[in-house]
């Protein structure tokens, strides 16, 4: 039998496309995120020449970076994580190969992916409609960057 702590640790690293990860939901205010996660170890401000003005809250120990865009009233809009416990559709995905990830996505109806080889040798697997990028090094998933859905009119689709 699982204790609540065990089941919540699985849940808190579960990516739900377009919604968030575990208790972190896209659209949450900075105060709501602070109440859930505590103070970030580091807060980065975007550079002046960045296209989007934002703040990144880095929780280094947990392996999360949370992004808040000024354009979206500084609501949580994107999460990047290299947490070893990350899950997608209930499956642990950290360290999986691009083929295993593509198979998982295909089984859940996501066919359209793009593969890009980076100058640094890593590979990026992107699902544009699903707003998720997965980065691989030596054929193993290292980290995931995913965000709130955006419709064809480029409007943010906050989860209900």
């Amino acid at each position: 039998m699982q204790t609540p702590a065990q089941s919540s640790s699985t849940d808190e690293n579960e990516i739900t496309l377009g919604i968030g990860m575990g208790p972190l939901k896209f659209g949450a205010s900075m105060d709501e995120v602070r109440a859930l996660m505590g103070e970030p170890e580091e807060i980065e401000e975007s550079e002046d020449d960045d296209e989007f003005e934002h703040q990144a809250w880095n929780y280094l120990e947990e392996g999360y970076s949370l992004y808040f865009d000024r354009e979206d009233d500084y609501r949580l809009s994107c999460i990047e994580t290299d947490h070893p416990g990350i899950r997608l559709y209930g499956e642990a995905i950290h360290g999986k190969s691009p083929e295993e990830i593509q198979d998982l996505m295909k089984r859940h109806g996501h066919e359209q992916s793009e593969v890009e080889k980076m100058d640094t040798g890593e590979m990026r697997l992107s699902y544009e409609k699903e707003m998720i990028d997965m980065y691989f090094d030596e054929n193993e998933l290292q980290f995931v960057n995913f965000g709130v859905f955006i419709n064809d009119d480029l409007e943010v689709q906050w989860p209900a």
Side-chain angles (χ1 to χ4, degrees), residues 14 22-23 26 49 70 80 86 105 122 130 139 143:
E14 177 73 33
F26 295 130
D49 58 354
R70 186 180 66 83
E80 187 172 284
I86 49 177
M105 293 295 280
E122 291 109 0
E130 290 77 16
N139 227 26
F143 70 95

Side-chain angles (χ1 to χ4, degrees), residues 109-137:
H110 311 297
E111 303 277 340
Q112 294 292 324
S113 67
E114 246 175 64
V115 174
E116 183 186 349
K117 194 89 166 133
M118 316 299 270
D119 297 338
T120 50
E122 291 109 0
M123 186 199 112
R124 184 181 74 200
L125 175 62
S126 299
Y127 289 83
E128 193 177 336
K129 195 170 146 276
E130 290 77 16
M131 296 297 292
I132 186 167
D133 293 322
M134 294 170 255
Y135 294 85
F136 299 82
D137 192 20

Side-chain angles (χ1 to χ4, degrees), residues 1 20 39 48 55 57 71 74 81 97-99 134 142 150:
M1 192 172 125
E39 286 296 327
D48 292 339
Q55 271 192 14
W57 287 17
E71 196 178 281
Y74 288 107
T81 182
S97 72
E99 296 75 24
M134 294 170 255
Q142 298 300 314
I150 295 173

